Amino acid sequence: DEYIDIDLVGRAATTPEGAPLGKIGAVDHPPASDILTLELQDGTYVDVPFVEHFVADVDLTAGTVAVVLPEGLPTRGKP
């Protein structure tokens, strides 16, 4: 599926099981693959490749993006 940035930014980010993570703060488009920047509930940010391995589901009707966050993925303060 293809999505435009406005369809994703601001949507709730959850685990595949539905637990809240935060929200989609931005979508970037470097050459290799698109990157979702998640604003986590603790106020930190993490970049996740927008590929099936990390993004389990996008449900525009429910307004959610299910994301798999691997352990050890570096977070940062506000960009």
Side-chain angles (χ1 to χ4, degrees):
D1 294 330
E2 291 190 26
Y3 305 95
I4 57 174
D5 296 358
I6 199 166
D7 287 341
L8 300 170
V9 174
R11 301 286 180 168
T14 68
T15 66
E17 295 78 25
L21 293 171
K23 68 179 182 178
I24 307 298
V27 181
D28 293 311
H29 305 280
S33 70
D34 292 345
I35 301 290
L36 298 179
T37 298
L38 307 184
E39 181 179 346
L40 302 177
Q41 290 184 319
D42 65 3
T44 60
Y45 292 77
V46 64
D47 294 328
V48 178
F50 193 3
V51 296
E52 188 175 340
H53 183 77
F54 296 108
V55 179
D57 184 55
V58 175
D59 186 337
L60 296 179
T61 303
T64 59
V65 179
V67 179
V68 177
L69 288 182
E71 281 190 45
L73 198 62
T75 60
R76 64 184 190 292
K78 191 170 186 171

Coordinates of all heavy atoms in Angstrom, one line a residue:
D1 N 0.8 -1.2 0.0 CA 0.0 0.0 0.0 C 0.9 1.2 0.0 O 2.0 1.2 0.5 CB -0.9 0.0 1.2 CG -1.9 -1.1 1.2 OD1 -2.3 -1.5 0.1 OD2 -2.3 -1.6 2.3
E2 N 0.3 2.3 -0.5 CA 1.0 3.6 -0.5 C 0.2 4.6 0.3 O -1.0 4.6 0.2 CB 1.3 4.1 -1.9 CG 2.3 3.2 -2.7 CD 2.7 3.9 -4.0 OE1 2.6 5.1 -4.1 OE2 3.1 3.1 -4.9
Y3 N 0.9 5.5 1.0 CA 0.2 6.5 1.8 C 0.9 7.8 1.6 O 2.1 7.9 1.3 CB 0.3 6.1 3.3 CG -0.2 4.8 3.6 CD1 0.7 3.7 3.7 CD2 -1.5 4.5 3.8 CE1 0.2 2.4 3.9 CE2 -2.0 3.3 4.1 CZ -1.2 2.2 4.2 OH -1.7 1.0 4.4
I4 N 0.1 8.9 1.7 CA 0.7 10.2 1.6 C 1.0 10.6 3.1 O 0.3 10.2 4.0 CB -0.1 11.2 0.9 CG1 -1.5 11.3 1.4 CG2 -0.2 10.8 -0.6 CD1 -2.4 12.4 0.8
D5 N 1.9 11.5 3.3 CA 2.4 11.9 4.6 C 1.2 12.4 5.5 O 1.1 12.0 6.7 CB 3.4 13.0 4.5 CG 4.7 12.6 3.9 OD1 4.8 11.4 3.5 OD2 5.6 13.4 3.7
I6 N 0.3 13.2 4.9 CA -0.8 13.7 5.7 C -1.7 12.6 6.3 O -2.4 12.8 7.3 CB -1.6 14.8 4.9 CG1 -2.4 15.6 5.9 CG2 -2.4 14.1 3.9 CD1 -2.9 16.9 5.3
D7 N -1.7 11.4 5.6 CA -2.5 10.3 6.1 C -1.9 9.7 7.4 O -2.6 9.0 8.1 CB -2.6 9.2 5.0 CG -3.5 9.5 3.9 OD1 -4.4 10.5 4.1 OD2 -3.4 8.9 2.8
L8 N -0.6 9.9 7.6 CA 0.1 9.2 8.7 C 0.5 10.2 9.8 O 0.3 9.7 11.0 CB 1.4 8.6 8.1 CG 1.2 7.6 7.0 CD1 2.5 7.2 6.4 CD2 0.5 6.4 7.5
V9 N 0.9 11.4 9.6 CA 1.3 12.3 10.6 C 0.2 12.6 11.6 O -0.9 12.9 11.1 CB 1.9 13.6 10.0 CG1 2.2 14.6 11.1 CG2 3.1 13.3 9.2
G10 N 0.4 12.4 12.8 CA -0.6 12.6 13.9 C -1.4 11.4 14.3 O -2.1 11.4 15.3
R11 N -1.2 10.3 13.5 CA -1.9 9.1 13.8 C -1.3 8.5 15.1 O -0.1 8.6 15.4 CB -1.9 8.1 12.7 CG -2.4 8.6 11.4 CD -3.9 8.6 11.4 NE -4.4 9.1 10.2 CZ -5.7 9.0 9.8 NH1 -6.6 8.5 10.6 NH2 -6.1 9.5 8.7
A12 N -2.1 7.7 15.8 CA -1.6 7.0 17.0 C -0.7 5.9 16.5 O -1.0 5.1 15.6 CB -2.8 6.4 17.8
A13 N 0.4 5.7 17.2 CA 1.4 4.6 17.0 C 1.1 3.6 18.2 O 1.1 4.0 19.3 CB 2.8 5.1 17.0
T14 N 0.9 2.4 17.8 CA 0.7 1.3 18.8 C 1.6 0.2 18.5 O 2.2 0.1 17.5 CB -0.8 0.8 18.7 OG1 -1.0 0.1 17.5 CG2 -1.8 1.9 18.8
T15 N 1.7 -0.8 19.5 CA 2.3 -2.0 19.3 C 1.3 -2.9 18.4 O 0.2 -2.5 18.3 CB 2.6 -2.8 20.6 OG1 1.3 -3.1 21.2 CG2 3.4 -2.0 21.5
P16 N 1.8 -4.0 17.8 CA 0.9 -4.8 17.0 C -0.3 -5.3 17.9 O -1.3 -5.7 17.4 CB 1.8 -5.9 16.5 CG 3.1 -5.3 16.4 CD 3.2 -4.4 17.6
E17 N -0.1 -5.4 19.2 CA -1.1 -5.9 20.1 C -2.1 -4.8 20.5 O -3.1 -5.0 21.2 CB -0.5 -6.5 21.4 CG 0.4 -7.7 21.2 CD 1.8 -7.4 20.6 OE1 2.3 -6.3 20.8 OE2 2.3 -8.3 19.9
G18 N -1.8 -3.5 20.1 CA -2.7 -2.4 20.4 C -2.3 -1.5 21.5 O -3.0 -0.6 21.8
A19 N -1.2 -1.8 22.2 CA -0.7 -1.0 23.3 C -0.2 0.4 22.8 O 0.5 0.4 21.8 CB 0.4 -1.7 24.1
P20 N -0.6 1.5 23.4 CA -0.1 2.8 22.9 C 1.4 3.0 23.0 O 2.0 2.7 24.0 CB -0.9 3.8 23.7 CG -1.3 3.1 24.9 CD -1.4 1.6 24.6
L21 N 2.0 3.6 21.9 CA 3.4 4.0 21.9 C 3.5 5.5 21.9 O 4.5 6.0 22.5 CB 4.1 3.4 20.7 CG 4.3 1.9 20.7 CD1 4.8 1.5 19.3 CD2 5.2 1.4 21.8
G22 N 2.7 6.1 21.2 CA 2.8 7.6 21.0 C 2.0 8.0 19.7 O 0.9 7.5 19.5
K23 N 2.7 8.8 18.9 CA 2.1 9.2 17.7 C 3.1 9.4 16.6 O 4.3 9.5 16.9 CB 1.3 10.5 17.8 CG 2.1 11.7 18.1 CD 1.3 13.0 18.2 CE 2.1 14.2 18.4 NZ 1.4 15.4 18.5
I24 N 2.7 9.4 15.3 CA 3.6 9.6 14.2 C 3.8 11.1 14.1 O 2.9 11.9 14.0 CB 3.0 9.1 12.9 CG1 2.5 7.6 13.0 CG2 3.9 9.3 11.7 CD1 3.6 6.7 13.3
G25 N 5.1 11.5 14.3 CA 5.4 12.9 14.3 C 5.8 13.5 12.9 O 5.6 14.6 12.6
A26 N 6.4 12.6 12.1 CA 6.9 13.0 10.8 C 7.1 11.8 9.9 O 7.3 10.7 10.4 CB 8.2 13.8 10.9
V27 N 7.2 12.1 8.6 CA 7.6 11.0 7.6 C 8.7 11.6 6.8 O 8.6 12.8 6.3 CB 6.4 10.6 6.7 CG1 6.8 9.6 5.7 CG2 5.2 10.2 7.5
D28 N 9.8 11.0 6.7 CA 11.0 11.4 5.9 C 11.2 10.5 4.7 O 10.8 9.3 4.8 CB 12.2 11.5 6.7 CG 12.1 12.6 7.8 OD1 11.8 13.7 7.4 OD2 12.5 12.3 8.9
H29 N 11.8 11.0 3.7 CA 11.9 10.2 2.4 C 13.3 10.1 1.9 O 13.6 10.6 0.9 CB 11.0 10.8 1.3 CG 9.6 10.9 1.8 ND1 8.7 9.8 1.8 CD2 8.9 12.0 2.2 CE1 7.5 10.3 2.2 NE2 7.6 11.5 2.5
P30 N 14.3 9.5 2.7 CA 15.6 9.3 2.2 C 15.6 8.3 1.1 O 14.6 7.6 0.9 CB 16.4 8.8 3.4 CG 15.4 8.2 4.3 CD 14.1 8.9 4.1
P31 N 16.7 8.1 0.4 CA 16.7 7.2 -0.8 C 16.4 5.8 -0.5 O 15.8 5.1 -1.3 CB 18.2 7.4 -1.3 CG 18.6 8.7 -0.8 CD 18.0 8.9 0.5
A32 N 16.9 5.2 0.6 CA 16.7 3.8 0.9 C 15.3 3.4 1.1 O 14.8 2.5 0.5 CB 17.6 3.4 2.0
S33 N 14.6 4.0 2.1 CA 13.2 3.7 2.4 C 12.7 4.9 3.2 O 13.4 5.6 3.9 CB 13.1 2.4 3.2 OG 13.6 2.5 4.5
D34 N 11.4 5.0 3.2 CA 10.7 6.0 4.0 C 11.0 5.8 5.5 O 11.1 4.6 5.9 CB 9.3 6.1 3.8 CG 8.9 6.6 2.3 OD1 9.9 7.2 1.7 OD2 7.8 6.5 1.9
I35 N 11.0 6.8 6.3 CA 11.3 6.7 7.7 C 10.1 7.4 8.5 O 9.7 8.5 8.2 CB 12.6 7.4 8.1 CG1 13.8 6.8 7.4 CG2 12.8 7.4 9.7 CD1 14.1 5.4 7.9
L36 N 9.5 6.7 9.5 CA 8.5 7.3 10.3 C 9.2 7.7 11.6 O 10.0 7.0 12.2 CB 7.5 6.2 10.7 CG 6.6 5.6 9.6 CD1 5.6 4.6 10.2 CD2 5.9 6.7 8.9
T37 N 9.0 9.0 12.0 CA 9.5 9.5 13.3 C 8.4 9.4 14.3 O 7.3 10.0 14.1 CB 10.0 10.9 13.2 OG1 11.1 11.0 12.2 CG2 10.5 11.4 14.5
L38 N 8.6 8.6 15.3 CA 7.5 8.4 16.3 C 7.9 9.3 17.5 O 9.0 9.4 18.0 CB 7.5 7.0 16.8 CG 7.4 5.8 15.8 CD1 7.2 4.5 16.5 CD2 6.2 6.1 14.9
E39 N 6.9 10.0 18.0 CA 7.0 10.8 19.2 C 6.4 9.9 20.3 O 5.2 9.6 20.3 CB 6.2 12.1 19.1 CG 6.3 12.9 20.4 CD 5.5 14.2 20.3 OE1 5.1 14.6 19.2 OE2 5.3 14.8 21.4
L40 N 7.3 9.3 21.1 CA 6.8 8.3 22.1 C 6.2 9.0 23.3 O 6.3 10.2 23.5 CB 8.0 7.5 22.6 CG 8.8 6.7 21.4 CD1 10.0 6.0 22.0 CD2 7.8 5.8 20.7
Q41 N 5.4 8.3 24.1 CA 4.7 8.8 25.2 C 5.6 9.5 26.2 O 5.1 10.4 26.9 CB 3.9 7.7 25.9 CG 2.7 7.3 25.0 CD 1.8 6.2 25.7 OE1 2.3 5.4 26.4 NE2 0.5 6.4 25.5
D42 N 6.9 9.1 26.3 CA 7.8 9.7 27.3 C 8.4 11.0 26.7 O 9.3 11.6 27.4 CB 8.8 8.7 27.8 CG 9.8 8.3 26.7 OD1 9.7 8.8 25.5 OD2 10.7 7.5 27.0
G43 N 8.0 11.4 25.5 CA 8.5 12.7 24.9 C 9.8 12.5 24.1 O 10.3 13.5 23.5
T44 N 10.3 11.3 24.0 CA 11.4 11.0 23.2 C 11.0 10.7 21.8 O 9.8 10.4 21.5 CB 12.3 9.9 23.7 OG1 11.6 8.7 23.8 CG2 12.9 10.3 25.1
Y45 N 11.9 10.7 20.8 CA 11.6 10.4 19.4 C 12.4 9.2 19.0 O 13.6 9.0 19.4 CB 11.9 11.6 18.6 CG 11.0 12.7 18.8 CD1 11.1 13.5 19.9 CD2 9.9 13.0 17.9 CE1 10.3 14.6 20.1 CE2 9.1 14.1 18.2 CZ 9.2 14.9 19.3 OH 8.4 15.9 19.5
V46 N 11.9 8.4 18.1 CA 12.6 7.3 17.5 C 12.3 7.2 16.0 O 11.1 7.5 15.6 CB 12.3 6.0 18.2 CG1 10.9 5.6 18.1 CG2 13.2 4.9 17.8
D47 N 13.2 6.9 15.2 CA 13.0 6.7 13.7 C 12.9 5.3 13.4 O 13.7 4.5 13.8 CB 14.2 7.4 12.9 CG 14.3 8.9 13.1 OD1 13.2 9.5 13.3 OD2 15.4 9.4 13.1
V48 N 11.9 4.9 12.6 CA 11.6 3.6 12.3 C 11.5 3.5 10.8 O 10.7 4.2 10.2 CB 10.3 3.1 13.0 CG1 10.0 1.6 12.6 CG2 10.4 3.2 14.5
P49 N 12.2 2.5 10.1 CA 12.0 2.4 8.7 C 10.5 2.0 8.4 O 10.0 1.1 9.1 CB 13.0 1.2 8.3 CG 14.0 1.2 9.4 CD 13.2 1.7 10.6
F50 N 10.0 2.6 7.4 CA 8.6 2.3 7.0 C 8.6 1.1 6.0 O 8.4 1.2 4.8 CB 7.9 3.5 6.3 CG 6.4 3.4 6.2 CD1 5.7 2.3 6.7 CD2 5.8 4.4 5.6 CE1 4.3 2.3 6.5 CE2 4.4 4.4 5.4 CZ 3.7 3.3 5.9
V51 N 8.9 -0.1 6.6 CA 8.9 -1.3 5.9 C 8.1 -2.4 6.7 O 7.9 -2.2 7.9 CB 10.4 -1.9 5.7 CG1 11.1 -0.9 4.8 CG2 11.1 -2.1 7.0
E52 N 7.7 -3.4 6.1 CA 6.8 -4.4 6.7 C 7.4 -5.0 8.0 O 6.6 -5.3 8.9 CB 6.5 -5.5 5.7 CG 5.4 -6.4 6.1 CD 5.0 -7.4 5.0 OE1 5.3 -7.2 3.9 OE2 4.5 -8.5 5.4
H53 N 8.7 -5.1 8.0 CA 9.3 -5.7 9.2 C 9.0 -4.9 10.5 O 8.9 -5.5 11.6 CB 10.8 -5.9 9.0 CG 11.6 -6.5 10.1 ND1 11.5 -7.9 10.3 CD2 12.3 -6.0 11.1 CE1 12.3 -8.2 11.3 NE2 12.8 -7.1 11.8
F54 N 9.0 -3.6 10.3 CA 8.7 -2.7 11.5 C 7.3 -2.2 11.6 O 6.9 -1.8 12.7 CB 9.7 -1.5 11.5 CG 11.2 -2.0 11.6 CD1 12.0 -1.9 10.5 CD2 11.6 -2.4 12.8 CE1 13.3 -2.3 10.6 CE2 13.0 -2.8 12.9 CZ 13.8 -2.8 11.9
V55 N 6.7 -2.0 10.5 CA 5.3 -1.4 10.4 C 4.4 -2.6 10.1 O 4.2 -3.0 9.0 CB 5.2 -0.3 9.4 CG1 3.7 0.2 9.4 CG2 6.1 0.8 9.8
A56 N 3.7 -3.1 11.2 CA 2.9 -4.3 11.0 C 1.5 -4.0 10.3 O 1.0 -4.8 9.6 CB 2.6 -4.9 12.4
D57 N 1.0 -2.8 10.6 CA -0.3 -2.5 10.0 C -0.6 -1.0 10.0 O -0.1 -0.3 10.9 CB -1.4 -3.2 10.8 CG -2.8 -3.0 10.2 OD1 -3.0 -3.3 9.1 OD2 -3.7 -2.5 11.0
V58 N -1.2 -0.5 9.0 CA -1.7 0.9 9.0 C -3.2 0.8 8.8 O -3.7 0.3 7.8 CB -1.1 1.7 7.8 CG1 -1.7 3.1 7.7 CG2 0.4 1.8 7.9
D59 N -4.0 1.3 9.8 CA -5.4 1.3 9.7 C -5.9 2.8 9.8 O -6.0 3.4 10.8 CB -6.0 0.6 10.9 CG -7.5 0.4 10.9 OD1 -8.2 1.2 10.2 OD2 -8.0 -0.5 11.5
L60 N -6.1 3.3 8.6 CA -6.5 4.8 8.5 C -7.9 5.0 9.1 O -8.2 6.1 9.6 CB -6.4 5.2 7.0 CG -5.1 5.2 6.4 CD1 -5.1 5.7 4.9 CD2 -4.1 6.1 7.2
T61 N -8.8 4.0 9.0 CA -10.1 4.1 9.5 C -10.0 4.3 11.1 O -10.7 5.1 11.6 CB -11.0 2.9 9.2 OG1 -11.0 2.8 7.7 CG2 -12.4 3.1 9.7
A62 N -9.2 3.5 11.7 CA -9.1 3.5 13.2 C -8.1 4.6 13.6 O -8.0 5.0 14.7 CB -8.6 2.2 13.7
G63 N -7.3 5.1 12.6 CA -6.3 6.1 12.9 C -5.1 5.6 13.6 O -4.5 6.4 14.4
T64 N -4.7 4.4 13.4 CA -3.6 3.8 14.1 C -2.5 3.2 13.1 O -2.9 2.8 12.0 CB -4.0 2.7 15.0 OG1 -4.7 1.6 14.2 CG2 -4.9 3.2 16.1
V65 N -1.3 3.2 13.6 CA -0.2 2.6 12.8 C 0.5 1.6 13.8 O 1.0 2.1 14.9 CB 0.8 3.6 12.3 CG1 2.0 2.9 11.6 CG2 0.1 4.6 11.4
A66 N 0.4 0.3 13.6 CA 1.0 -0.7 14.5 C 2.5 -0.8 14.1 O 2.8 -1.1 13.0 CB 0.3 -2.0 14.3
V67 N 3.4 -0.6 15.1 CA 4.8 -0.6 14.9 C 5.5 -1.6 15.8 O 5.2 -1.7 17.0 CB 5.3 0.8 15.2 CG1 6.8 0.9 15.0 CG2 4.6 1.9 14.3
V68 N 6.5 -2.3 15.3 CA 7.3 -3.2 16.0 C 8.6 -2.4 16.4 O 9.3 -2.1 15.4 CB 7.7 -4.5 15.3 CG1 8.6 -5.4 16.0 CG2 6.4 -5.2 14.9
L69 N 8.8 -2.1 17.6 CA 10.0 -1.4 18.1 C 11.0 -2.4 18.6 O 10.8 -3.0 19.6 CB 9.7 -0.4 19.2 CG 9.0 0.9 18.8 CD1 8.8 1.8 20.0 CD2 9.7 1.6 17.6
P70 N 12.1 -2.6 17.9 CA 13.1 -3.6 18.4 C 13.8 -3.0 19.6 O 14.0 -1.8 19.8 CB 14.1 -3.7 17.2 CG 13.8 -2.7 16.2 CD 12.5 -2.1 16.6
E71 N 14.2 -3.9 20.5 CA 15.0 -3.5 21.7 C 16.3 -2.8 21.3 O 16.9 -3.2 20.3 CB 15.3 -4.7 22.6 CG 14.1 -5.2 23.4 CD 14.5 -6.3 24.4 OE1 15.6 -6.1 25.1 OE2 13.8 -7.3 24.5
G72 N 16.6 -1.8 22.0 CA 17.9 -1.1 21.8 C 17.8 -0.1 20.7 O 18.9 0.5 20.4
L73 N 16.7 0.1 20.1 CA 16.6 1.2 19.0 C 16.8 2.5 19.7 O 16.2 2.8 20.7 CB 15.2 1.1 18.4 CG 15.0 1.8 17.1 CD1 15.9 1.2 16.0 CD2 13.6 1.7 16.6
P74 N 17.8 3.3 19.2 CA 18.1 4.6 19.9 C 17.0 5.6 19.8 O 16.3 5.7 18.8 CB 19.4 5.0 19.2 CG 19.4 4.4 17.9 CD 18.6 3.1 18.0
T75 N 16.8 6.3 20.9 CA 15.8 7.4 21.0 C 16.6 8.7 21.1 O 17.7 8.7 21.5 CB 14.8 7.2 22.1 OG1 15.5 7.2 23.4 CG2 14.0 5.9 22.0
R76 N 15.9 9.8 20.9 CA 16.5 11.1 21.1 C 15.5 12.1 21.6 O 14.3 11.8 21.6 CB 17.1 11.6 19.8 CG 16.1 11.8 18.7 CD 16.7 12.2 17.3 NE 15.8 12.6 16.3 CZ 14.9 12.0 15.7 NH1 14.7 10.7 16.0 NH2 14.1 12.5 14.8
G77 N 16.0 13.3 22.0 CA 15.1 14.3 22.4 C 14.4 14.9 21.2 O 14.6 14.5 20.1
K78 N 13.6 15.9 21.5 CA 12.8 16.6 20.4 C 13.7 17.1 19.3 O 14.7 17.7 19.5 CB 12.0 17.8 21.0 CG 11.0 18.3 20.1 CD 10.1 19.3 20.8 CE 9.0 19.8 19.9 NZ 8.0 20.5 20.6
P79 N 13.3 16.8 18.0 CA 14.1 17.2 16.9 C 14.1 18.7 16.7 O 13.3 19.4 17.1 CB 13.5 16.5 15.7 CG 12.2 16.0 16.1 CD 12.1 16.1 17.6

